[in-house]
């Protein structure tokens, strides 16, 4: 099969979809849609929804450049205020994004204490966590001095480039 064959299997897709389903359940989300670009003519679109227990996975070639789409907002619970862009952790001024695709680890080894905890003061450059990519452990440094306000990933969670890992204010 060629690199442009839209039916070729991406071995990591199964693990990726399972991780998305766990993310959906763990964060009590009702819907989740993710598009993963593998190359100019190859992408994977995954839509998960708890409405009717429907799961849709689509892999399709891309033949023309598409304009970026705004992420779909999850439907608000009755009586709840609609989410605002400011409530998106990625828009927070203290957001620490993942610089790469990989697996996030909160501690240096299994069973060890995490590098940081919520409420902890950190100095610029302190290790916040590790993102493992291609068997390389990449230390993620604090971009600024401050207090860890939120940890947005769990230990062993797959992350994409740009995923918000933590909030440091």
């Amino acid at each position: 099969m060629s690199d442009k064959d839209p039916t070729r299997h991406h071995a990591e897709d199964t693990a990726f979809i399972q991780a998305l389903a766990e993310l959906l359940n763990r964060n009590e989300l009702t819907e989740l849609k993710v598009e993963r670009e593998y190359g100019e003519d190859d992408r994977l679109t995954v839509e998960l929804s708890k409405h009717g227990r429907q799961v849709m996975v689509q892999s399709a070639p891309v033949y023309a450049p598409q304009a970026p789409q705004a992420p779909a907002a999850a439907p608000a619970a009755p009586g709840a205020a609609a989410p605002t862009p400011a409530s998106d952790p990625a828009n927070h001024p203290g957001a620490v994004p993942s610089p790469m695709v990989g697996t996030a680890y909160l501690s240096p080894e299994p069973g060890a204490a995490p590098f940081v905890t919520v409420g902890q003061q950190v100095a610029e450059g302190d290790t916040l966590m590790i993102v493992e990519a291609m068997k390389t452990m990449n230390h993620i440094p604090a971009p600024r001095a401050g207090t860890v306000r939120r940890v947005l990933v769990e230990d062993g969670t797959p992350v994409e480039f740009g995923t918000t890992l933590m909030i440091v204010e």
Side-chain angles (χ1 to χ4, degrees):
M1 286 187 248
S2 76
D3 283 342
K4 296 188 180 202
D5 181 355
T7 61
R8 81 180 162 127
H9 176 71
H10 297 286
E12 69 273 14
D13 288 349
T14 302
F16 178 67
I17 293 166
Q18 287 174 334
L20 289 174
E22 290 172 11
L23 180 70
L24 183 84
N25 287 326
R26 186 174 50 241
N27 292 302
E28 300 178 0
L29 300 172
T30 57
E31 294 179 344
L32 185 65
K33 180 178 179 180
V34 177
E35 185 167 290
R36 199 178 213 191
E37 301 266 346
Y38 289 104
E40 184 175 310
D41 293 350
D42 194 7
R43 75 168 176 239
L44 171 74
T45 301
V46 179
E47 293 181 37
L48 301 172
S49 174
K50 287 187 179 180
H51 300 291
R53 301 280 183 211
Q54 181 179 17
V55 176
M56 183 177 107
V57 177
Q58 176 185 9
S59 184
V62 178
Y63 295 108
Q66 296 180 340
Q69 298 177 349
T84 63
S87 67
D88 179 3
N91 294 333
H92 192 284
V96 179
S98 178
M100 66 198 69
V101 173
T103 303
Y105 294 104
L106 303 177
S107 60
E109 61 186 37
F115 288 106
V116 296
T117 57
V118 173
Q120 180 178 338
Q121 294 288 319
V122 295
E124 184 175 346
D126 285 355
T127 298
L128 298 175
M129 66 174 49
I130 293 173
V131 174
E132 182 228 344
M134 298 176 59
K135 308 273 185 215
T136 301
M137 300 299 178
N138 301 282
H139 289 253
I140 306 302
R144 68 192 65 73
T147 302
V148 176
R149 295 294 180 200
R150 291 176 66 190
V151 177
L152 300 166
V153 295
E154 290 188 25
D155 194 49
T157 303
V159 295
E160 295 290 324
F161 174 82
T163 299
T164 305
L165 305 170
M166 291 187 181
I167 302 293
V168 177
E169 294 180 321

